[in-house]
mmCIF file of all heavy atoms in Angstrom:
data_model
loop_
_atom_site.group_PDB
_atom_site.id
_atom_site.type_symbol
_atom_site.label_atom_id
_atom_site.label_comp_id
_atom_site.label_asym_id
_atom_site.label_seq_id
_atom_site.Cartn_x
_atom_site.Cartn_y
_atom_site.Cartn_z
ATOM 1 N N TYR A 791 110.768 129.901 78.361
ATOM 2 C CA TYR A 791 111.774 129.031 77.767
ATOM 3 C C TYR A 791 111.473 128.907 76.225
ATOM 4 O O TYR A 791 112.381 129.026 75.423
ATOM 5 C CB TYR A 791 111.654 127.607 78.363
ATOM 6 C CG TYR A 791 112.732 126.717 77.926
ATOM 7 C CD1 TYR A 791 114.075 126.914 78.159
ATOM 8 C CD2 TYR A 791 112.394 125.559 77.149
ATOM 9 C CE1 TYR A 791 115.118 126.061 77.730
ATOM 10 C CE2 TYR A 791 113.396 124.678 76.741
ATOM 11 C CZ TYR A 791 114.754 124.925 77.008
ATOM 12 O OH TYR A 791 115.729 124.042 76.551
ATOM 13 N N GLY A 792 110.228 128.754 75.877
ATOM 14 C CA GLY A 792 109.825 128.804 74.475
ATOM 15 C C GLY A 792 109.460 127.439 73.942
ATOM 16 O O GLY A 792 110.161 126.492 74.117
ATOM 17 N N VAL A 793 108.295 127.387 73.260
ATOM 18 C CA VAL A 793 107.861 126.080 72.652
ATOM 19 C C VAL A 793 108.805 125.662 71.578
ATOM 20 O O VAL A 793 109.152 124.451 71.474
ATOM 21 C CB VAL A 793 106.418 126.215 72.062
ATOM 22 C CG1 VAL A 793 106.058 125.081 71.164
ATOM 23 C CG2 VAL A 793 105.363 126.434 73.179
ATOM 24 N N LYS A 794 109.283 126.606 70.834
ATOM 25 C CA LYS A 794 110.241 126.302 69.778
ATOM 26 C C LYS A 794 111.525 125.671 70.336
ATOM 27 O O LYS A 794 112.039 124.652 69.771
ATOM 28 C CB LYS A 794 110.535 127.495 68.861
ATOM 29 C CG LYS A 794 111.451 127.116 67.720
ATOM 30 C CD LYS A 794 111.541 128.318 66.759
ATOM 31 C CE LYS A 794 112.317 127.800 65.491
ATOM 32 N NZ LYS A 794 112.409 128.865 64.518
ATOM 33 N N ARG A 795 112.030 126.240 71.372
ATOM 34 C CA ARG A 795 113.268 125.713 72.005
ATOM 35 C C ARG A 795 112.990 124.321 72.581
ATOM 36 O O ARG A 795 113.843 123.465 72.459
ATOM 37 C CB ARG A 795 113.672 126.693 73.147
ATOM 38 C CG ARG A 795 114.948 126.302 73.795
ATOM 39 C CD ARG A 795 115.244 127.295 74.956
ATOM 40 N NE ARG A 795 115.774 128.501 74.514
ATOM 41 C CZ ARG A 795 116.036 129.540 75.287
ATOM 42 N NH1 ARG A 795 115.776 129.449 76.558
ATOM 43 N NH2 ARG A 795 116.579 130.605 74.760
ATOM 44 N N LEU A 796 111.787 124.124 73.205
ATOM 45 C CA LEU A 796 111.480 122.778 73.722
ATOM 46 C C LEU A 796 111.387 121.768 72.538
ATOM 47 O O LEU A 796 111.861 120.689 72.736
ATOM 48 C CB LEU A 796 110.118 122.859 74.433
ATOM 49 C CG LEU A 796 109.572 121.617 75.050
ATOM 50 C CD1 LEU A 796 110.494 121.095 76.174
ATOM 51 C CD2 LEU A 796 108.196 121.748 75.551
ATOM 52 N N CYS A 797 110.754 122.137 71.487
ATOM 53 C CA CYS A 797 110.639 121.207 70.318
ATOM 54 C C CYS A 797 112.023 120.874 69.762
ATOM 55 O O CYS A 797 112.252 119.767 69.333
ATOM 56 C CB CYS A 797 109.742 121.798 69.229
ATOM 57 S SG CYS A 797 108.028 122.000 69.762
ATOM 58 N N ARG A 798 112.899 121.823 69.772
ATOM 59 C CA ARG A 798 114.314 121.600 69.369
ATOM 60 C C ARG A 798 115.002 120.635 70.255
ATOM 61 O O ARG A 798 115.694 119.663 69.911
ATOM 62 C CB ARG A 798 115.038 122.909 69.398
ATOM 63 C CG ARG A 798 116.621 122.809 69.190
ATOM 64 C CD ARG A 798 117.244 123.996 69.808
ATOM 65 N NE ARG A 798 117.090 123.960 71.220
ATOM 66 C CZ ARG A 798 117.258 125.027 72.034
ATOM 67 N NH1 ARG A 798 117.650 126.236 71.456
ATOM 68 N NH2 ARG A 798 117.108 124.967 73.327
ATOM 69 N N ASP A 799 114.749 120.727 71.597
ATOM 70 C CA ASP A 799 115.311 119.787 72.562
ATOM 71 C C ASP A 799 114.714 118.393 72.383
ATOM 72 O O ASP A 799 115.478 117.408 72.464
ATOM 73 C CB ASP A 799 115.036 120.278 73.985
ATOM 74 C CG ASP A 799 115.639 121.593 74.294
ATOM 75 O OD1 ASP A 799 116.482 122.082 73.561
ATOM 76 O OD2 ASP A 799 115.298 122.201 75.362
ATOM 77 N N VAL A 800 113.395 118.286 72.067
ATOM 78 C CA VAL A 800 112.802 117.000 71.783
ATOM 79 C C VAL A 800 113.494 116.346 70.615
ATOM 80 O O VAL A 800 113.808 115.106 70.641
ATOM 81 C CB VAL A 800 111.293 117.171 71.580
ATOM 82 C CG1 VAL A 800 110.648 115.850 71.100
ATOM 83 C CG2 VAL A 800 110.645 117.701 72.800
ATOM 84 N N GLU A 801 113.669 117.057 69.542
ATOM 85 C CA GLU A 801 114.277 116.459 68.355
ATOM 86 C C GLU A 801 115.688 116.043 68.608
ATOM 87 O O GLU A 801 116.115 115.022 68.125
ATOM 88 C CB GLU A 801 114.189 117.474 67.189
ATOM 89 C CG GLU A 801 114.715 116.856 65.836
ATOM 90 C CD GLU A 801 114.485 117.749 64.644
ATOM 91 O OE1 GLU A 801 114.076 119.008 64.932
ATOM 92 O OE2 GLU A 801 114.682 117.376 63.531
ATOM 93 N N PHE A 802 116.394 116.838 69.359
ATOM 94 C CA PHE A 802 117.797 116.470 69.727
ATOM 95 C C PHE A 802 117.805 115.163 70.561
ATOM 96 O O PHE A 802 118.700 114.300 70.338
ATOM 97 C CB PHE A 802 118.435 117.647 70.496
ATOM 98 C CG PHE A 802 119.874 117.332 70.926
ATOM 99 C CD1 PHE A 802 120.905 117.441 70.105
ATOM 100 C CD2 PHE A 802 120.081 116.863 72.252
ATOM 101 C CE1 PHE A 802 122.248 117.107 70.499
ATOM 102 C CE2 PHE A 802 121.344 116.583 72.708
ATOM 103 C CZ PHE A 802 122.435 116.676 71.789
ATOM 104 N N MET A 803 116.865 115.051 71.432
ATOM 105 C CA MET A 803 116.866 113.902 72.390
ATOM 106 C C MET A 803 116.353 112.652 71.843
ATOM 107 O O MET A 803 116.996 111.612 71.980
ATOM 108 C CB MET A 803 116.063 114.308 73.710
ATOM 109 C CG MET A 803 116.009 113.190 74.757
ATOM 110 S SD MET A 803 115.214 113.784 76.261
ATOM 111 C CE MET A 803 113.548 114.170 75.742
ATOM 112 N N ILE A 804 115.256 112.656 71.198
ATOM 113 C CA ILE A 804 114.603 111.395 70.741
ATOM 114 C C ILE A 804 114.362 111.375 69.250
ATOM 115 O O ILE A 804 113.833 110.408 68.723
ATOM 116 C CB ILE A 804 113.254 111.088 71.451
ATOM 117 C CG1 ILE A 804 112.314 112.210 71.239
ATOM 118 C CG2 ILE A 804 113.563 110.820 72.907
ATOM 119 C CD1 ILE A 804 110.930 111.941 71.961
ATOM 120 N N GLY A 805 114.809 112.455 68.492
ATOM 121 C CA GLY A 805 114.696 112.427 67.047
ATOM 122 C C GLY A 805 113.284 112.516 66.532
ATOM 123 O O GLY A 805 113.049 111.985 65.375
ATOM 124 N N ILE A 806 112.409 113.090 67.231
ATOM 125 C CA ILE A 806 110.988 113.143 66.850
ATOM 126 C C ILE A 806 110.679 114.659 66.648
ATOM 127 O O ILE A 806 110.815 115.399 67.600
ATOM 128 C CB ILE A 806 110.053 112.460 67.834
ATOM 129 C CG1 ILE A 806 110.285 110.956 67.812
ATOM 130 C CG2 ILE A 806 108.582 112.729 67.466
ATOM 131 C CD1 ILE A 806 109.505 110.196 68.818
ATOM 132 N N LYS A 807 110.027 115.026 65.594
ATOM 133 C CA LYS A 807 109.509 116.386 65.431
ATOM 134 C C LYS A 807 108.153 116.499 66.074
ATOM 135 O O LYS A 807 107.290 115.612 65.974
ATOM 136 C CB LYS A 807 109.361 116.682 63.917
ATOM 137 C CG LYS A 807 110.701 116.942 63.165
ATOM 138 C CD LYS A 807 110.478 117.484 61.814
ATOM 139 C CE LYS A 807 111.757 117.820 61.126
ATOM 140 N NZ LYS A 807 112.454 119.008 61.825
ATOM 141 N N THR A 808 108.006 117.549 66.861
ATOM 142 C CA THR A 808 106.817 117.730 67.627
ATOM 143 C C THR A 808 105.610 118.154 66.704
ATOM 144 O O THR A 808 105.734 119.051 65.950
ATOM 145 C CB THR A 808 106.984 118.783 68.721
ATOM 146 O OG1 THR A 808 108.131 118.404 69.512
ATOM 147 C CG2 THR A 808 105.762 118.951 69.620
ATOM 148 N N SER A 809 104.437 117.473 66.896
ATOM 149 C CA SER A 809 103.325 117.817 66.069
ATOM 150 C C SER A 809 102.687 119.123 66.405
ATOM 151 O O SER A 809 102.929 119.668 67.506
ATOM 152 C CB SER A 809 102.234 116.658 66.222
ATOM 153 O OG SER A 809 101.717 116.708 67.565
ATOM 154 N N LEU A 810 101.866 119.629 65.502
ATOM 155 C CA LEU A 810 101.226 120.901 65.685
ATOM 156 C C LEU A 810 100.237 120.803 66.883
ATOM 157 O O LEU A 810 100.041 121.832 67.528
ATOM 158 C CB LEU A 810 100.498 121.252 64.370
ATOM 159 C CG LEU A 810 99.987 122.771 64.273
ATOM 160 C CD1 LEU A 810 101.162 123.689 64.336
ATOM 161 C CD2 LEU A 810 99.204 122.934 62.983
ATOM 162 N N TYR A 811 99.650 119.634 67.056
ATOM 163 C CA TYR A 811 98.740 119.486 68.242
ATOM 164 C C TYR A 811 99.388 119.846 69.497
ATOM 165 O O TYR A 811 98.883 120.582 70.360
ATOM 166 C CB TYR A 811 98.293 118.011 68.215
ATOM 167 C CG TYR A 811 97.737 117.488 69.530
ATOM 168 C CD1 TYR A 811 96.549 117.994 70.071
ATOM 169 C CD2 TYR A 811 98.460 116.557 70.263
ATOM 170 C CE1 TYR A 811 96.063 117.493 71.278
ATOM 171 C CE2 TYR A 811 98.012 116.069 71.445
ATOM 172 C CZ TYR A 811 96.819 116.527 71.983
ATOM 173 O OH TYR A 811 96.418 116.065 73.218
ATOM 174 N N TYR A 812 100.589 119.295 69.727
ATOM 175 C CA TYR A 812 101.301 119.592 71.028
ATOM 176 C C TYR A 812 101.760 121.086 71.044
ATOM 177 O O TYR A 812 101.639 121.688 72.095
ATOM 178 C CB TYR A 812 102.470 118.664 71.141
ATOM 179 C CG TYR A 812 102.106 117.267 71.617
ATOM 180 C CD1 TYR A 812 102.295 116.179 70.716
ATOM 181 C CD2 TYR A 812 101.574 117.031 72.820
ATOM 182 C CE1 TYR A 812 101.971 114.882 71.086
ATOM 183 C CE2 TYR A 812 101.233 115.772 73.230
ATOM 184 C CZ TYR A 812 101.490 114.670 72.382
ATOM 185 O OH TYR A 812 101.172 113.402 72.754
ATOM 186 N N ARG A 813 102.218 121.649 69.968
ATOM 187 C CA ARG A 813 102.704 122.956 69.965
ATOM 188 C C ARG A 813 101.584 123.926 70.265
ATOM 189 O O ARG A 813 101.743 124.854 71.133
ATOM 190 C CB ARG A 813 103.204 123.297 68.543
ATOM 191 C CG ARG A 813 104.613 122.687 68.172
ATOM 192 C CD ARG A 813 104.918 123.038 66.724
ATOM 193 N NE ARG A 813 106.289 122.556 66.370
ATOM 194 C CZ ARG A 813 107.333 123.380 66.378
ATOM 195 N NH1 ARG A 813 107.224 124.620 66.707
ATOM 196 N NH2 ARG A 813 108.537 122.853 66.082
ATOM 197 N N ILE A 814 100.395 123.797 69.706
ATOM 198 C CA ILE A 814 99.317 124.694 69.899
ATOM 199 C C ILE A 814 98.739 124.477 71.321
ATOM 200 O O ILE A 814 98.453 125.493 72.013
ATOM 201 C CB ILE A 814 98.187 124.509 68.923
ATOM 202 C CG1 ILE A 814 98.750 124.896 67.473
ATOM 203 C CG2 ILE A 814 96.926 125.288 69.233
ATOM 204 C CD1 ILE A 814 97.727 124.671 66.371
ATOM 205 N N CYS A 815 98.686 123.280 71.773
ATOM 206 C CA CYS A 815 98.190 123.059 73.132
ATOM 207 C C CYS A 815 99.120 123.656 74.179
ATOM 208 O O CYS A 815 98.670 124.390 75.069
ATOM 209 C CB CYS A 815 98.069 121.517 73.434
ATOM 210 S SG CYS A 815 96.566 120.800 72.677
ATOM 211 N N TRP A 816 100.434 123.411 74.055
ATOM 212 C CA TRP A 816 101.390 123.954 75.023
ATOM 213 C C TRP A 816 101.382 125.497 75.069
ATOM 214 O O TRP A 816 101.421 126.057 76.109
ATOM 215 C CB TRP A 816 102.796 123.480 74.690
ATOM 216 C CG TRP A 816 103.040 122.033 74.943
ATOM 217 C CD1 TRP A 816 102.337 121.229 75.782
ATOM 218 C CD2 TRP A 816 104.055 121.214 74.297
ATOM 219 N NE1 TRP A 816 102.837 119.938 75.714
ATOM 220 C CE2 TRP A 816 103.903 119.984 74.820
ATOM 221 C CE3 TRP A 816 105.086 121.504 73.426
ATOM 222 C CZ2 TRP A 816 104.796 118.892 74.475
ATOM 223 C CZ3 TRP A 816 105.907 120.415 73.044
ATOM 224 C CH2 TRP A 816 105.742 119.106 73.588
ATOM 225 N N ALA A 817 101.284 126.134 73.916
ATOM 226 C CA ALA A 817 101.445 127.570 73.808
ATOM 227 C C ALA A 817 100.143 128.294 74.032
ATOM 228 O O ALA A 817 100.200 129.383 74.681
ATOM 229 C CB ALA A 817 102.046 127.933 72.448
ATOM 230 N N VAL A 818 99.027 127.793 73.614
ATOM 231 C CA VAL A 818 97.802 128.617 73.627
ATOM 232 C C VAL A 818 96.622 127.878 74.287
ATOM 233 O O VAL A 818 96.126 128.343 75.366
ATOM 234 C CB VAL A 818 97.353 128.915 72.184
ATOM 235 C CG1 VAL A 818 96.125 129.736 72.197
ATOM 236 C CG2 VAL A 818 98.464 129.603 71.418
ATOM 237 N N VAL A 819 96.271 126.725 73.793
ATOM 238 C CA VAL A 819 94.971 126.102 74.264
ATOM 239 C C VAL A 819 95.003 125.695 75.713
ATOM 240 O O VAL A 819 94.109 126.048 76.531
ATOM 241 C CB VAL A 819 94.673 124.902 73.363
ATOM 242 C CG1 VAL A 819 93.433 124.196 73.917
ATOM 243 C CG2 VAL A 819 94.494 125.304 71.889
ATOM 244 N N THR A 820 96.024 125.001 76.132
ATOM 245 C CA THR A 820 96.080 124.490 77.519
ATOM 246 C C THR A 820 96.150 125.579 78.558
ATOM 247 O O THR A 820 95.280 125.687 79.476
ATOM 248 C CB THR A 820 97.211 123.493 77.686
ATOM 249 O OG1 THR A 820 97.109 122.456 76.712
ATOM 250 C CG2 THR A 820 97.189 122.897 79.072
ATOM 251 N N PRO A 821 97.063 126.539 78.494
ATOM 252 C CA PRO A 821 97.041 127.639 79.536
ATOM 253 C C PRO A 821 95.833 128.487 79.466
ATOM 254 O O PRO A 821 95.318 128.911 80.509
ATOM 255 C CB PRO A 821 98.320 128.448 79.118
ATOM 256 C CG PRO A 821 98.699 128.045 77.749
ATOM 257 C CD PRO A 821 98.195 126.683 77.520
ATOM 258 N N LEU A 822 95.314 128.827 78.260
ATOM 259 C CA LEU A 822 94.110 129.614 78.217
ATOM 260 C C LEU A 822 92.860 128.863 78.783
ATOM 261 O O LEU A 822 92.056 129.544 79.444
ATOM 262 C CB LEU A 822 93.792 129.961 76.742
ATOM 263 C CG LEU A 822 94.577 131.172 76.155
ATOM 264 C CD1 LEU A 822 94.109 131.502 74.748
ATOM 265 C CD2 LEU A 822 94.381 132.402 77.034
ATOM 266 N N LEU A 823 92.739 127.583 78.489
ATOM 267 C CA LEU A 823 91.684 126.848 79.086
ATOM 268 C C LEU A 823 91.703 126.869 80.572
ATOM 269 O O LEU A 823 90.673 127.073 81.253
ATOM 270 C CB LEU A 823 91.650 125.384 78.496
ATOM 271 C CG LEU A 823 90.623 124.490 79.070
ATOM 272 C CD1 LEU A 823 89.202 124.998 78.724
ATOM 273 C CD2 LEU A 823 90.784 123.023 78.501
ATOM 274 N N MET A 824 92.862 126.610 81.117
ATOM 275 C CA MET A 824 93.001 126.576 82.594
ATOM 276 C C MET A 824 92.787 127.920 83.178
ATOM 277 O O MET A 824 92.212 128.030 84.289
ATOM 278 C CB MET A 824 94.363 125.951 82.985
ATOM 279 C CG MET A 824 94.496 124.470 82.652
ATOM 280 S SD MET A 824 95.840 123.697 83.473
ATOM 281 C CE MET A 824 97.234 124.446 82.726
ATOM 282 N N LEU A 825 93.283 128.974 82.492
ATOM 283 C CA LEU A 825 93.113 130.312 83.034
ATOM 284 C C LEU A 825 91.629 130.727 83.025
ATOM 285 O O LEU A 825 91.139 131.335 84.007
ATOM 286 C CB LEU A 825 93.925 131.266 82.211
ATOM 287 C CG LEU A 825 93.834 132.782 82.614
ATOM 288 C CD1 LEU A 825 94.393 132.955 84.049
ATOM 289 C CD2 LEU A 825 94.612 133.675 81.601
ATOM 290 N N THR A 826 90.910 130.304 82.007
ATOM 291 C CA THR A 826 89.504 130.605 81.913
ATOM 292 C C THR A 826 88.747 129.941 82.999
ATOM 293 O O THR A 826 87.891 130.527 83.673
ATOM 294 C CB THR A 826 88.929 130.193 80.550
ATOM 295 O OG1 THR A 826 89.636 130.850 79.498
ATOM 296 C CG2 THR A 826 87.485 130.512 80.396
ATOM 297 N N ILE A 827 89.037 128.654 83.240
ATOM 298 C CA ILE A 827 88.418 127.940 84.281
ATOM 299 C C ILE A 827 88.673 128.551 85.635
ATOM 300 O O ILE A 827 87.755 128.631 86.579
ATOM 301 C CB ILE A 827 88.790 126.430 84.243
ATOM 302 C CG1 ILE A 827 88.285 125.754 82.971
ATOM 303 C CG2 ILE A 827 88.306 125.733 85.461
ATOM 304 C CD1 ILE A 827 88.819 124.371 82.751
ATOM 305 N N LEU A 828 89.890 128.933 85.924
ATOM 306 C CA LEU A 828 90.283 129.569 87.119
ATOM 307 C C LEU A 828 89.456 130.853 87.374
ATOM 308 O O LEU A 828 88.913 131.097 88.484
ATOM 309 C CB LEU A 828 91.721 129.865 87.213
ATOM 310 C CG LEU A 828 92.318 130.653 88.437
ATOM 311 C CD1 LEU A 828 92.077 129.789 89.712
ATOM 312 C CD2 LEU A 828 93.747 130.951 88.295
ATOM 313 N N ILE A 829 89.367 131.694 86.335
ATOM 314 C CA ILE A 829 88.692 132.995 86.475
ATOM 315 C C ILE A 829 87.192 132.757 86.806
ATOM 316 O O ILE A 829 86.593 133.398 87.628
ATOM 317 C CB ILE A 829 88.864 133.801 85.217
ATOM 318 C CG1 ILE A 829 90.314 134.234 85.084
ATOM 319 C CG2 ILE A 829 87.906 135.032 85.226
ATOM 320 C CD1 ILE A 829 90.601 134.918 83.754
ATOM 321 N N TYR A 830 86.542 131.875 86.013
ATOM 322 C CA TYR A 830 85.100 131.489 86.247
ATOM 323 C C TYR A 830 84.950 130.973 87.615
ATOM 324 O O TYR A 830 83.906 131.312 88.274
ATOM 325 C CB TYR A 830 84.658 130.510 85.174
ATOM 326 C CG TYR A 830 84.033 131.142 83.978
ATOM 327 C CD1 TYR A 830 84.841 131.471 82.901
ATOM 328 C CD2 TYR A 830 82.701 131.413 83.898
ATOM 329 C CE1 TYR A 830 84.257 132.144 81.725
ATOM 330 C CE2 TYR A 830 82.116 131.975 82.761
ATOM 331 C CZ TYR A 830 82.946 132.288 81.698
ATOM 332 O OH TYR A 830 82.339 132.858 80.572
ATOM 333 N N THR A 831 85.844 130.131 88.146
ATOM 334 C CA THR A 831 85.665 129.520 89.438
ATOM 335 C C THR A 831 85.740 130.674 90.528
ATOM 336 O O THR A 831 85.040 130.600 91.480
ATOM 337 C CB THR A 831 86.817 128.516 89.644
ATOM 338 O OG1 THR A 831 86.723 127.516 88.659
ATOM 339 C CG2 THR A 831 86.630 127.852 91.039
ATOM 340 N N LEU A 832 86.678 131.555 90.371
ATOM 341 C CA LEU A 832 86.817 132.651 91.354
ATOM 342 C C LEU A 832 85.607 133.602 91.313
ATOM 343 O O LEU A 832 85.127 134.032 92.352
ATOM 344 C CB LEU A 832 88.042 133.400 91.081
ATOM 345 C CG LEU A 832 89.403 132.656 91.377
ATOM 346 C CD1 LEU A 832 90.593 133.497 90.964
ATOM 347 C CD2 LEU A 832 89.474 132.285 92.821
ATOM 348 N N VAL A 833 85.118 133.861 90.105
ATOM 349 C CA VAL A 833 83.945 134.774 89.949
ATOM 350 C C VAL A 833 82.704 134.123 90.620
ATOM 351 O O VAL A 833 81.932 134.854 91.236
ATOM 352 C CB VAL A 833 83.703 135.149 88.510
ATOM 353 C CG1 VAL A 833 82.396 135.888 88.301
ATOM 354 C CG2 VAL A 833 84.869 135.970 87.928
#
Side-chain angles (χ1 to χ4, degrees):
Y791 187 66
V793 168
K794 184 170 184 177
R795 181 184 284 176
L796 177 66
C797 295
R798 172 205 63 199
D799 296 347
V800 173
E801 186 172 7
F802 177 81
M803 180 171 64
I804 58 177
I806 294 177
K807 286 188 176 294
T808 305
S809 68
L810 194 60
Y811 157 71
Y812 284 113
R813 286 173 173 265
I814 294 177
C815 283
W816 290 339
V818 181
V819 177
T820 305
L822 279 183
L823 177 60
M824 292 197 293
L825 181 61
T826 302
I827 292 171
L828 175 63
I829 293 173
Y830 267 89
T831 302
L832 292 175
V833 170

